[in-house]
Amino acid sequence: MAYDYEKSIRPGKLPHIWCPGCGHGIVMKGLIRAMDTCGLEKNNTAIVSGIGCASRMPGYLDFNTLHTAHGRAAAFATGVKMAKPEMTVICCGGDGDGAAIGGNHFIHACRRNIDMTYVLLNNYIYGMTGGQFSSSTPPGHLASTTPYGNPDPAFDLAKLAIGAGATFVARTTAFHATQIDKLIVEGIKHKGMAVIEILDDCPTTYGRRNKFRSVVDMMKRLKDIAVPVTAAAKMTPEQLEGKTLTGVLHKEDRPEYCENYAKIIARVQGA
Amino acid sequence: MAKKIALLQGNEACAHGALYAGCNFFGGYPITPSTEVAEVMSGELPKVGGKFIQMEDEIGAMASIIGASLAGSKALTATSGPGVSLKQELIGYACIAEVPCVIINVMRGGPSTGMPTGPGQSDVMQARWGTHGDHAAIALCPSSCQEIFSETVRAFNLAEKYRMPVQVLFDEIVGHMRERIVFPEPGELEVIDRTAPSVPPEQYKPFDTSFGDVPPLAAFGSDYRFHVTGLNKAEDGFPTTKAELVDAEERRQIRKVEGAEARADIELNEEYMTEDAEVVIFAYGSTARSARYAVNELREQGIKAGLFRPITLWPFPEKRVAELGEQVKAMVVAEMNLGQMVFEVERIVKNTCKLGLVTRVDGDPLTPTQIIDQVKEVL
C-alpha cells in the first residue's frame, strides 16, 4: 500500500513553490516518513526554518511551524527548545540560509549540543533570488554573480558541523531517497545536536548554468559523487577525488544543553 | 509585614521588575552599559525555574526570545544602541508576527560604538523607526530606579496585551545610578498575561480579528498548533499577497496601538507645575531630573515654568502636547541628542507656541543651568 503523506500535510497548502525537478520535495517526503517512524506528536513538534526555497517546507507540514528570518532558524529554535525542552525541534533550510547568513547561529547550536535535528538542504546556490553563488558553490562553477567562475572555496558543511561540536552528523543526497529518512530518524532519536546534510539539486538556477542538461543529469551527479563512508575506507585518495562521503559521519555522546540547564535549575533550587 | 527595600542600580531594578512581571526567559548578549540586567537574570531565573541563555550574538538573542515567547514564555532581552541596531531585523519580525517580548535599551551615545560608557538619548527615533517597513511602536522611558522597576512591569503588560515587542529605553545615567527601591508586594502592581484562545484547536486562527485588533495567541507545545511567518499573512497565519488582506493587516497593526482607546491605555506622562505654566519644558529620562530642578529655579525667579515628562515615548502623546501648546507661550525640549523628539513636538504644536531646544552629546548630562538659559532665551 502506498505511504500516506496526506496525514502530515496541511490541507489546502499544496501545490508547493518548488520548481519541477527540484529535490526539496524528495527531502520533505523523507522528513515526513522519518517523523512518522519516530512517532512524533504533531502538537509536541516544532519545525523551524529561515528564508529561501527549502525554508518554505514547514508551511506545508501540519505541525507547529515557524518560518523565521534569513539565517535565524537555529537561534529561534534554540529559544523554542530551551523554553519547552519536552518538544521535538526540527530545523530545515538551505546552504545560504544556514551556513552563510546563519552560519554563526548554526555553529553555536552545534557547540551547545542542544537537542534538535537540523536538516540542511545543500543545493549549492541561492535559488530563490535567482542563482547567486553560496558558501557551498564549488570553486569555478557558474552562478549569476560568478559569471567568470566562482573564485571562492566552498564549505564542507558536514565537517563544519563536526568541527563546531554537533554530536550526530550525517550526509546523503536527494538521489538516495530512502537513506534520507533513515538518517533523519537517527538524528531525531539522537540526544543532542544532529545535522543531516542533504546534497540537493537546483536545475533552474544551478544546473542550467553548469552544463547539467537535465534534471536526470543532476541526479546522476549526486549518485556519482556519493561514496558511503564504509566503502570509502577501502578506497585510495585518488579514487576519492571529487567524491563526497555519505552516511553517518560522526556520532558521540556528550551532555545535552537543556538537560545541563535543568541540572543547574535543580542545583540552585535545591540549595 | 514591612516591604522589602534595597539600594539598587537601575539595571538591577530592571531585572527585578521583569521577574515581578513573570519573566521566565532571558536571551542576551553582553554590551555596555546594559550587561547588569543579564547578570542579575542569569542568577535569578534558575531560582524560579526560568531559563537564561547567552546567545552568540545580538540577533540570536532577539531570535531566542521570539522563539521562547511563541512557546509560551514571557521573554526579555537587554542591550544598548549597537545591539539594538542589530536586533532591528527581528524587532520587525516580532512586529509583523505579533509576538510579545520586551527589549531593554540602556542608551549610550552613537552612532556605532560611540561612547560606550557615556549616557545618551539618541536612540529615541530608532525605537520608533529603527526597523524597516510600516509598524507601530511602544517605547517607555523611565527616569528613576523605582520607575525602571514599574515600567519594566508595564512593558511586559503592554507586550502581552498588544501582542508585540515593547522597548524600554533608559539612559546610562539611570541605568547605572543607585537609588532606594521599594519592592511592590505581589498583586500590588497589575500583571497581565496574553489572551489565550477560547475556541477549540481545530477552529484556531492565530490572527483571527473577530476577537478584535489583538487576536488571541496560543503557544507551541499546547493543544493548539499553528504557523508563524514574517511574510504578510492572512488570519490563518499563512502567507498572502492578496491586496485587501495585506492592506487590512498592515492597518490593523498600526491601529491596535495608535487607535484612540489603545493610546489612552498606553500613554503615560508626568506633569509638574503645568497647570498655570507659561513655559513648559519637555524632557524625558534622566534629563527630566535636571528639568525638574530647572522648573523650581525658574519659579523662584518668577517665571511660570512647568515640566512635561513623557513616560511613554511611543506612541507620542499627541493630544496632551497639543493642549499644552495652546496653553503656553513657549515649549523647550531638552534632550541628550542633537534634536530628535523636538521634531515630534514641532509636528504637534505647529505654530501655537514658540519652541526652543537644548541638547548635549558630550557624555555629560544636561544641567539645570543649560535648560534655564534656554528657557530665558526663548521667552
Side-chain angles (χ1 to χ4, degrees), chain A residues 10 43 62 64-65 67 72 79 82 84 104-105 112 261 269, chain B residues 47 49 51-52 56-57 71 89 93 220 225-229 238:
Chain A
R10 284 194 168 107
N43 287 348
D62 190 13
N64 293 290
T65 50
H67 176 224
R72 314 301 173 213
M82 188 102 182
K84 284 220 171 112
N104 204 32
H105 309 306
R112 287 187 194 102
Y261 199 84
Q269 290 186 334
Chain B
K47 294 181 189 170
K51 313 287 169 66
F52 170 92
E56 54 276 4
D57 57 36
E89 169 193 315
Y93 187 94
F220 283 179
R225 63 176 181 273
F226 56 104
H227 182 64
V228 179
T229 177
F238 291 94

PDB file of all heavy atoms in Angstrom, chain A residues 10 43 62 64-65 67 72 79 82 84 104-105 112 261 269, chain B residues 47 49 51-52 56-57 71 89 93 220 225-229 238:
ATOM      1  N   ARG A  10      -0.606  19.920   5.564  1.00  0.00           N
ATOM      2  CA  ARG A  10      -1.742  20.782   5.892  1.00  0.00           C
ATOM      3  C   ARG A  10      -2.717  20.821   4.715  1.00  0.00           C
ATOM      4  O   ARG A  10      -2.288  21.073   3.578  1.00  0.00           O
ATOM      5  CB  ARG A  10      -1.264  22.192   6.192  1.00  0.00           C
ATOM      6  CG  ARG A  10      -0.617  22.332   7.552  1.00  0.00           C
ATOM      7  CD  ARG A  10      -0.494  23.816   7.893  1.00  0.00           C
ATOM      8  NE  ARG A  10      -0.135  23.993   9.288  1.00  0.00           N
ATOM      9  CZ  ARG A  10       1.073  24.373   9.702  1.00  0.00           C
ATOM     10  NH1 ARG A  10       2.037  24.593   8.848  1.00  0.00           N
ATOM     11  NH2 ARG A  10       1.309  24.529  10.987  1.00  0.00           N
ATOM     12  N   ASN A  43       1.426  18.129  17.909  1.00  0.00           N
ATOM     13  CA  ASN A  43       1.369  19.280  18.817  1.00  0.00           C
ATOM     14  C   ASN A  43       2.655  19.460  19.607  1.00  0.00           C
ATOM     15  O   ASN A  43       2.916  20.520  20.152  1.00  0.00           O
ATOM     16  CB  ASN A  43       0.198  19.140  19.797  1.00  0.00           C
ATOM     17  CG  ASN A  43      -1.133  19.382  19.120  1.00  0.00           C
ATOM     18  OD1 ASN A  43      -1.191  19.866  18.001  1.00  0.00           O
ATOM     19  ND2 ASN A  43      -2.216  19.046  19.811  1.00  0.00           N
ATOM     20  N   ASP A  62       1.874  19.796   8.825  1.00  0.00           N
ATOM     21  CA  ASP A  62       0.834  20.023   9.836  1.00  0.00           C
ATOM     22  C   ASP A  62       1.384  19.831  11.255  1.00  0.00           C
ATOM     23  O   ASP A  62       1.025  18.876  11.958  1.00  0.00           O
ATOM     24  CB  ASP A  62      -0.340  19.077   9.565  1.00  0.00           C
ATOM     25  CG  ASP A  62      -1.547  19.425  10.422  1.00  0.00           C
ATOM     26  OD1 ASP A  62      -1.565  20.514  11.014  1.00  0.00           O
ATOM     27  OD2 ASP A  62      -2.461  18.585  10.504  1.00  0.00           O
ATOM     28  N   ASN A  64       3.549  22.415  14.622  1.00  0.00           N
ATOM     29  CA  ASN A  64       3.856  23.808  14.968  1.00  0.00           C
ATOM     30  C   ASN A  64       4.985  24.233  14.046  1.00  0.00           C
ATOM     31  O   ASN A  64       6.046  23.595  14.034  1.00  0.00           O
ATOM     32  CB  ASN A  64       4.319  23.916  16.419  1.00  0.00           C
ATOM     33  CG  ASN A  64       3.214  23.603  17.389  1.00  0.00           C
ATOM     34  OD1 ASN A  64       2.266  24.373  17.525  1.00  0.00           O
ATOM     35  ND2 ASN A  64       3.309  22.453  18.041  1.00  0.00           N
ATOM     36  N   THR A  65       4.776  25.287  13.279  1.00  0.00           N
ATOM     37  CA  THR A  65       5.794  25.637  12.287  1.00  0.00           C
ATOM     38  C   THR A  65       6.134  27.122  12.367  1.00  0.00           C
ATOM     39  O   THR A  65       5.265  27.962  12.556  1.00  0.00           O
ATOM     40  CB  THR A  65       5.322  25.273  10.867  1.00  0.00           C
ATOM     41  OG1 THR A  65       4.009  25.813  10.655  1.00  0.00           O
ATOM     42  CG2 THR A  65       5.291  23.773  10.677  1.00  0.00           C
ATOM     43  N   HIS A  67       8.391  29.933  10.409  1.00  0.00           N
ATOM     44  CA  HIS A  67       9.143  30.393   9.239  1.00  0.00           C
ATOM     45  C   HIS A  67       9.760  31.727   9.630  1.00  0.00           C
ATOM     46  O   HIS A  67       9.066  32.734   9.679  1.00  0.00           O
ATOM     47  CB  HIS A  67       8.147  30.516   8.061  1.00  0.00           C
ATOM     48  CG  HIS A  67       8.717  31.053   6.801  1.00  0.00           C
ATOM     49  ND1 HIS A  67       8.073  32.006   6.044  1.00  0.00           N
ATOM     50  CD2 HIS A  67       9.853  30.765   6.138  1.00  0.00           C
ATOM     51  CE1 HIS A  67       8.794  32.276   4.964  1.00  0.00           C
ATOM     52  NE2 HIS A  67       9.879  31.538   5.000  1.00  0.00           N
ATOM     53  N   ARG A  72      18.111  32.660  10.560  1.00  0.00           N
ATOM     54  CA  ARG A  72      17.920  32.687  12.017  1.00  0.00           C
ATOM     55  C   ARG A  72      17.252  31.446  12.589  1.00  0.00           C
ATOM     56  O   ARG A  72      16.924  31.422  13.782  1.00  0.00           O
ATOM     57  CB  ARG A  72      17.103  33.919  12.415  1.00  0.00           C
ATOM     58  CG  ARG A  72      17.534  35.237  11.775  1.00  0.00           C
ATOM     59  CD  ARG A  72      18.959  35.603  12.095  1.00  0.00           C
ATOM     60  NE  ARG A  72      19.387  36.765  11.337  1.00  0.00           N
ATOM     61  CZ  ARG A  72      20.620  36.973  10.904  1.00  0.00           C
ATOM     62  NH1 ARG A  72      21.572  36.092  11.148  1.00  0.00           N
ATOM     63  NH2 ARG A  72      20.930  38.055  10.231  1.00  0.00           N
ATOM     64  N   GLY A  79      15.466  29.105  21.202  1.00  0.00           N
ATOM     65  CA  GLY A  79      14.511  29.692  22.147  1.00  0.00           C
ATOM     66  C   GLY A  79      13.328  28.772  22.418  1.00  0.00           C
ATOM     67  O   GLY A  79      12.901  28.596  23.557  1.00  0.00           O
ATOM     68  N   MET A  82      14.631  25.632  24.413  1.00  0.00           N
ATOM     69  CA  MET A  82      15.003  25.979  25.793  1.00  0.00           C
ATOM     70  C   MET A  82      13.741  26.240  26.630  1.00  0.00           C
ATOM     71  O   MET A  82      13.668  25.837  27.799  1.00  0.00           O
ATOM     72  CB  MET A  82      15.862  27.237  25.735  1.00  0.00           C
ATOM     73  CG  MET A  82      16.475  27.628  27.033  1.00  0.00           C
ATOM     74  SD  MET A  82      18.160  27.183  27.126  1.00  0.00           S
ATOM     75  CE  MET A  82      18.540  27.735  28.787  1.00  0.00           C
ATOM     76  N   LYS A  84      10.692  25.027  26.020  1.00  0.00           N
ATOM     77  CA  LYS A  84       9.914  23.777  26.170  1.00  0.00           C
ATOM     78  C   LYS A  84      10.772  22.587  25.748  1.00  0.00           C
ATOM     79  O   LYS A  84      10.615  22.044  24.642  1.00  0.00           O
ATOM     80  CB  LYS A  84       8.653  23.839  25.302  1.00  0.00           C
ATOM     81  CG  LYS A  84       7.546  24.723  25.878  1.00  0.00           C
ATOM     82  CD  LYS A  84       6.178  24.095  25.669  1.00  0.00           C
ATOM     83  CE  LYS A  84       5.099  24.864  26.427  1.00  0.00           C
ATOM     84  NZ  LYS A  84       4.164  25.558  25.556  1.00  0.00           N
ATOM     85  N   ASN A 104      26.697  31.732  12.004  1.00  0.00           N
ATOM     86  CA  ASN A 104      27.036  31.897  13.421  1.00  0.00           C
ATOM     87  C   ASN A 104      26.046  31.165  14.319  1.00  0.00           C
ATOM     88  O   ASN A 104      26.443  30.466  15.249  1.00  0.00           O
ATOM     89  CB  ASN A 104      27.086  33.381  13.779  1.00  0.00           C
ATOM     90  CG  ASN A 104      27.952  33.653  14.993  1.00  0.00           C
ATOM     91  OD1 ASN A 104      28.935  32.949  15.219  1.00  0.00           O
ATOM     92  ND2 ASN A 104      27.591  34.653  15.775  1.00  0.00           N
ATOM     93  N   HIS A 105      24.755  31.306  14.023  1.00  0.00           N
ATOM     94  CA  HIS A 105      23.753  30.608  14.835  1.00  0.00           C
ATOM     95  C   HIS A 105      23.927  29.092  14.698  1.00  0.00           C
ATOM     96  O   HIS A 105      23.801  28.350  15.668  1.00  0.00           O
ATOM     97  CB  HIS A 105      22.338  31.006  14.404  1.00  0.00           C
ATOM     98  CG  HIS A 105      22.126  32.486  14.340  1.00  0.00           C
ATOM     99  ND1 HIS A 105      22.402  33.323  15.407  1.00  0.00           N
ATOM    100  CD2 HIS A 105      21.682  33.288  13.336  1.00  0.00           C
ATOM    101  CE1 HIS A 105      22.136  34.565  15.052  1.00  0.00           C
ATOM    102  NE2 HIS A 105      21.703  34.573  13.808  1.00  0.00           N
ATOM    103  N   ARG A 112      26.671  24.091  21.427  1.00  0.00           N
ATOM    104  CA  ARG A 112      25.897  23.860  22.649  1.00  0.00           C
ATOM    105  C   ARG A 112      25.418  22.418  22.752  1.00  0.00           C
ATOM    106  O   ARG A 112      25.060  21.965  23.808  1.00  0.00           O
ATOM    107  CB  ARG A 112      24.656  24.771  22.668  1.00  0.00           C
ATOM    108  CG  ARG A 112      24.971  26.206  22.943  1.00  0.00           C
ATOM    109  CD  ARG A 112      23.710  27.052  23.115  1.00  0.00           C
ATOM    110  NE  ARG A 112      24.115  28.443  23.031  1.00  0.00           N
ATOM    111  CZ  ARG A 112      23.961  29.221  21.969  1.00  0.00           C
ATOM    112  NH1 ARG A 112      23.345  28.760  20.900  1.00  0.00           N
ATOM    113  NH2 ARG A 112      24.407  30.449  21.968  1.00  0.00           N
ATOM    114  N   TYR A 261      21.081  22.533  31.614  1.00  0.00           N
ATOM    115  CA  TYR A 261      20.465  23.692  32.270  1.00  0.00           C
ATOM    116  C   TYR A 261      19.459  23.245  33.321  1.00  0.00           C
ATOM    117  O   TYR A 261      19.341  23.865  34.382  1.00  0.00           O
ATOM    118  CB  TYR A 261      19.805  24.630  31.242  1.00  0.00           C
ATOM    119  CG  TYR A 261      19.590  26.006  31.817  1.00  0.00           C
ATOM    120  CD1 TYR A 261      20.606  26.951  31.807  1.00  0.00           C
ATOM    121  CD2 TYR A 261      18.384  26.340  32.438  1.00  0.00           C
ATOM    122  CE1 TYR A 261      20.435  28.198  32.384  1.00  0.00           C
ATOM    123  CE2 TYR A 261      18.204  27.587  33.016  1.00  0.00           C
ATOM    124  CZ  TYR A 261      19.225  28.510  32.982  1.00  0.00           C
ATOM    125  OH  TYR A 261      19.052  29.739  33.575  1.00  0.00           O
ATOM    126  N   GLN A 269      17.786  25.428  42.943  1.00  0.00           N
ATOM    127  CA  GLN A 269      16.553  25.347  43.746  1.00  0.00           C
ATOM    128  C   GLN A 269      16.736  24.444  44.961  1.00  0.00           C
ATOM    129  O   GLN A 269      16.063  24.645  45.979  1.00  0.00           O
ATOM    130  CB  GLN A 269      15.392  24.847  42.872  1.00  0.00           C
ATOM    131  CG  GLN A 269      14.976  25.876  41.842  1.00  0.00           C
ATOM    132  CD  GLN A 269      13.736  25.478  41.056  1.00  0.00           C
ATOM    133  OE1 GLN A 269      13.448  24.292  40.903  1.00  0.00           O
ATOM    134  NE2 GLN A 269      13.020  26.461  40.545  1.00  0.00           N
TER     135      GLN A 269
ATOM    136  N   LYS B  47      16.440  30.187  39.836  1.00  0.00           N
ATOM    137  CA  LYS B  47      15.781  30.059  41.147  1.00  0.00           C
ATOM    138  C   LYS B  47      14.275  29.880  41.006  1.00  0.00           C
ATOM    139  O   LYS B  47      13.628  29.262  41.838  1.00  0.00           O
ATOM    140  CB  LYS B  47      16.057  31.306  42.009  1.00  0.00           C
ATOM    141  CG  LYS B  47      17.513  31.485  42.421  1.00  0.00           C
ATOM    142  CD  LYS B  47      17.644  32.738  43.288  1.00  0.00           C
ATOM    143  CE  LYS B  47      19.101  33.079  43.536  1.00  0.00           C
ATOM    144  NZ  LYS B  47      19.245  34.396  44.172  1.00  0.00           N
ATOM    145  N   GLY B  49      12.896  28.619  38.229  1.00  0.00           N
ATOM    146  CA  GLY B  49      12.656  27.646  37.159  1.00  0.00           C
ATOM    147  C   GLY B  49      12.665  28.255  35.771  1.00  0.00           C
ATOM    148  O   GLY B  49      12.280  27.620  34.800  1.00  0.00           O
ATOM    149  N   LYS B  51      14.587  30.345  32.427  1.00  0.00           N
ATOM    150  CA  LYS B  51      15.730  29.999  31.584  1.00  0.00           C
ATOM    151  C   LYS B  51      16.501  31.248  31.200  1.00  0.00           C
ATOM    152  O   LYS B  51      15.921  32.243  30.787  1.00  0.00           O
ATOM    153  CB  LYS B  51      15.258  29.302  30.303  1.00  0.00           C
ATOM    154  CG  LYS B  51      14.244  28.184  30.507  1.00  0.00           C
ATOM    155  CD  LYS B  51      14.859  26.948  31.105  1.00  0.00           C
ATOM    156  CE  LYS B  51      13.821  25.933  31.560  1.00  0.00           C
ATOM    157  NZ  LYS B  51      13.059  25.352  30.450  1.00  0.00           N
ATOM    158  N   PHE B  52      17.827  31.144  31.314  1.00  0.00           N
ATOM    159  CA  PHE B  52      18.718  32.216  30.858  1.00  0.00           C
ATOM    160  C   PHE B  52      19.640  31.640  29.803  1.00  0.00           C
ATOM    161  O   PHE B  52      20.210  30.571  29.991  1.00  0.00           O
ATOM    162  CB  PHE B  52      19.557  32.743  32.031  1.00  0.00           C
ATOM    163  CG  PHE B  52      20.656  33.686  31.594  1.00  0.00           C
ATOM    164  CD1 PHE B  52      20.438  35.059  31.554  1.00  0.00           C
ATOM    165  CD2 PHE B  52      21.901  33.199  31.194  1.00  0.00           C
ATOM    166  CE1 PHE B  52      21.447  35.921  31.132  1.00  0.00           C
ATOM    167  CE2 PHE B  52      22.908  34.063  30.766  1.00  0.00           C
ATOM    168  CZ  PHE B  52      22.680  35.428  30.743  1.00  0.00           C
ATOM    169  N   GLU B  56      24.920  33.757  20.849  1.00  0.00           N
ATOM    170  CA  GLU B  56      26.176  34.006  20.138  1.00  0.00           C
ATOM    171  C   GLU B  56      26.271  35.434  19.611  1.00  0.00           C
ATOM    172  O   GLU B  56      27.361  35.911  19.306  1.00  0.00           O
ATOM    173  CB  GLU B  56      26.340  33.016  18.977  1.00  0.00           C
ATOM    174  CG  GLU B  56      25.181  32.957  17.989  1.00  0.00           C
ATOM    175  CD  GLU B  56      24.047  32.039  18.461  1.00  0.00           C
ATOM    176  OE1 GLU B  56      24.149  31.510  19.593  1.00  0.00           O
ATOM    177  OE2 GLU B  56      23.078  31.868  17.720  1.00  0.00           O
ATOM    178  N   ASP B  57      25.154  36.108  19.484  1.00  0.00           N
ATOM    179  CA  ASP B  57      25.178  37.500  19.028  1.00  0.00           C
ATOM    180  C   ASP B  57      23.827  38.154  19.340  1.00  0.00           C
ATOM    181  O   ASP B  57      22.913  37.495  19.843  1.00  0.00           O
ATOM    182  CB  ASP B  57      25.536  37.618  17.530  1.00  0.00           C
ATOM    183  CG  ASP B  57      24.604  36.847  16.610  1.00  0.00           C
ATOM    184  OD1 ASP B  57      23.396  36.777  16.898  1.00  0.00           O
ATOM    185  OD2 ASP B  57      25.084  36.328  15.576  1.00  0.00           O
ATOM    186  N   ALA B  71       6.677  29.775  22.413  1.00  0.00           N
ATOM    187  CA  ALA B  71       6.485  28.554  23.198  1.00  0.00           C
ATOM    188  C   ALA B  71       5.830  28.874  24.550  1.00  0.00           C
ATOM    189  O   ALA B  71       5.782  28.018  25.430  1.00  0.00           O
ATOM    190  CB  ALA B  71       7.820  27.835  23.389  1.00  0.00           C
ATOM    191  N   GLU B  89      16.282  43.828  12.731  1.00  0.00           N
ATOM    192  CA  GLU B  89      15.719  42.842  11.796  1.00  0.00           C
ATOM    193  C   GLU B  89      14.593  42.049  12.467  1.00  0.00           C
ATOM    194  O   GLU B  89      13.505  41.894  11.910  1.00  0.00           O
ATOM    195  CB  GLU B  89      16.844  41.906  11.364  1.00  0.00           C
ATOM    196  CG  GLU B  89      16.384  40.672  10.617  1.00  0.00           C
ATOM    197  CD  GLU B  89      17.501  39.638  10.502  1.00  0.00           C
ATOM    198  OE1 GLU B  89      18.642  40.017  10.178  1.00  0.00           O
ATOM    199  OE2 GLU B  89      17.232  38.454  10.731  1.00  0.00           O
ATOM    200  N   TYR B  93      10.371  41.488  12.829  1.00  0.00           N
ATOM    201  CA  TYR B  93       9.718  40.166  12.781  1.00  0.00           C
ATOM    202  C   TYR B  93       8.675  40.050  13.895  1.00  0.00           C
ATOM    203  O   TYR B  93       7.550  39.605  13.673  1.00  0.00           O
ATOM    204  CB  TYR B  93      10.761  39.043  12.904  1.00  0.00           C
ATOM    205  CG  TYR B  93      10.170  37.676  12.682  1.00  0.00           C
ATOM    206  CD1 TYR B  93      10.195  37.078  11.431  1.00  0.00           C
ATOM    207  CD2 TYR B  93       9.546  36.983  13.723  1.00  0.00           C
ATOM    208  CE1 TYR B  93       9.620  35.836  11.208  1.00  0.00           C
ATOM    209  CE2 TYR B  93       8.968  35.744  13.519  1.00  0.00           C
ATOM    210  CZ  TYR B  93       9.016  35.163  12.258  1.00  0.00           C
ATOM    211  OH  TYR B  93       8.438  33.948  12.042  1.00  0.00           O
ATOM    212  N   PHE B 220       3.185  27.219  21.187  1.00  0.00           N
ATOM    213  CA  PHE B 220       3.714  25.954  20.663  1.00  0.00           C
ATOM    214  C   PHE B 220       3.782  24.960  21.820  1.00  0.00           C
ATOM    215  O   PHE B 220       4.096  25.330  22.962  1.00  0.00           O
ATOM    216  CB  PHE B 220       5.130  26.154  20.107  1.00  0.00           C
ATOM    217  CG  PHE B 220       5.188  26.813  18.756  1.00  0.00           C
ATOM    218  CD1 PHE B 220       6.414  27.076  18.161  1.00  0.00           C
ATOM    219  CD2 PHE B 220       4.038  27.167  18.059  1.00  0.00           C
ATOM    220  CE1 PHE B 220       6.506  27.669  16.912  1.00  0.00           C
ATOM    221  CE2 PHE B 220       4.103  27.764  16.808  1.00  0.00           C
ATOM    222  CZ  PHE B 220       5.352  28.022  16.235  1.00  0.00           C
ATOM    223  N   ARG B 225      -1.896  24.032  17.418  1.00  0.00           N
ATOM    224  CA  ARG B 225      -0.695  24.148  16.593  1.00  0.00           C
ATOM    225  C   ARG B 225      -1.001  25.100  15.451  1.00  0.00           C
ATOM    226  O   ARG B 225      -2.121  25.146  14.947  1.00  0.00           O
ATOM    227  CB  ARG B 225      -0.191  22.795  16.117  1.00  0.00           C
ATOM    228  CG  ARG B 225      -1.119  22.023  15.229  1.00  0.00           C
ATOM    229  CD  ARG B 225      -0.451  20.733  14.754  1.00  0.00           C
ATOM    230  NE  ARG B 225      -1.345  20.003  13.886  1.00  0.00           N
ATOM    231  CZ  ARG B 225      -2.261  19.139  14.343  1.00  0.00           C
ATOM    232  NH1 ARG B 225      -2.386  18.913  15.640  1.00  0.00           N
ATOM    233  NH2 ARG B 225      -3.052  18.531  13.488  1.00  0.00           N
ATOM    234  N   PHE B 226       0.030  25.862  15.093  1.00  0.00           N
ATOM    235  CA  PHE B 226      -0.196  26.929  14.117  1.00  0.00           C
ATOM    236  C   PHE B 226       1.096  27.287  13.414  1.00  0.00           C
ATOM    237  O   PHE B 226       2.179  26.804  13.764  1.00  0.00           O
ATOM    238  CB  PHE B 226      -0.830  28.153  14.800  1.00  0.00           C
ATOM    239  CG  PHE B 226      -0.050  28.702  15.972  1.00  0.00           C
ATOM    240  CD1 PHE B 226       0.701  29.868  15.858  1.00  0.00           C
ATOM    241  CD2 PHE B 226      -0.068  28.067  17.206  1.00  0.00           C
ATOM    242  CE1 PHE B 226       1.407  30.380  16.939  1.00  0.00           C
ATOM    243  CE2 PHE B 226       0.644  28.569  18.292  1.00  0.00           C
ATOM    244  CZ  PHE B 226       1.374  29.722  18.153  1.00  0.00           C
ATOM    245  N   HIS B 227       0.966  28.149  12.414  1.00  0.00           N
ATOM    246  CA  HIS B 227       2.095  28.557  11.580  1.00  0.00           C
ATOM    247  C   HIS B 227       2.396  30.031  11.822  1.00  0.00           C
ATOM    248  O   HIS B 227       1.484  30.842  11.940  1.00  0.00           O
ATOM    249  CB  HIS B 227       1.748  28.333  10.099  1.00  0.00           C
ATOM    250  CG  HIS B 227       2.865  28.669   9.156  1.00  0.00           C
ATOM    251  ND1 HIS B 227       4.062  27.986   9.150  1.00  0.00           N
ATOM    252  CD2 HIS B 227       2.971  29.613   8.178  1.00  0.00           C
ATOM    253  CE1 HIS B 227       4.855  28.491   8.204  1.00  0.00           C
ATOM    254  NE2 HIS B 227       4.223  29.482   7.607  1.00  0.00           N
ATOM    255  N   VAL B 228       3.675  30.356  11.886  1.00  0.00           N
ATOM    256  CA  VAL B 228       4.106  31.740  12.073  1.00  0.00           C
ATOM    257  C   VAL B 228       5.115  32.071  10.978  1.00  0.00           C
ATOM    258  O   VAL B 228       5.999  31.276  10.671  1.00  0.00           O
ATOM    259  CB  VAL B 228       4.756  31.936  13.468  1.00  0.00           C
ATOM    260  CG1 VAL B 228       5.213  33.377  13.644  1.00  0.00           C
ATOM    261  CG2 VAL B 228       3.794  31.547  14.577  1.00  0.00           C
ATOM    262  N   THR B 229       4.973  33.239  10.393  1.00  0.00           N
ATOM    263  CA  THR B 229       5.895  33.670   9.328  1.00  0.00           C
ATOM    264  C   THR B 229       6.130  35.165   9.416  1.00  0.00           C
ATOM    265  O   THR B 229       5.339  35.889  10.029  1.00  0.00           O
ATOM    266  CB  THR B 229       5.315  33.300   7.935  1.00  0.00           C
ATOM    267  OG1 THR B 229       6.197  33.788   6.917  1.00  0.00           O
ATOM    268  CG2 THR B 229       3.934  33.904   7.704  1.00  0.00           C
ATOM    269  N   PHE B 238      -0.996  32.004   7.367  1.00  0.00           N
ATOM    270  CA  PHE B 238      -0.250  31.611   6.174  1.00  0.00           C
ATOM    271  C   PHE B 238      -0.065  32.802   5.233  1.00  0.00           C
ATOM    272  O   PHE B 238      -0.897  33.706   5.198  1.00  0.00           O
ATOM    273  CB  PHE B 238      -0.945  30.439   5.474  1.00  0.00           C
ATOM    274  CG  PHE B 238      -0.856  29.189   6.284  1.00  0.00           C
ATOM    275  CD1 PHE B 238      -1.879  28.828   7.153  1.00  0.00           C
ATOM    276  CD2 PHE B 238       0.293  28.406   6.239  1.00  0.00           C
ATOM    277  CE1 PHE B 238      -1.767  27.701   7.945  1.00  0.00           C
ATOM    278  CE2 PHE B 238       0.405  27.270   7.029  1.00  0.00           C
ATOM    279  CZ  PHE B 238      -0.625  26.918   7.882  1.00  0.00           C
TER     280      PHE B 238
END
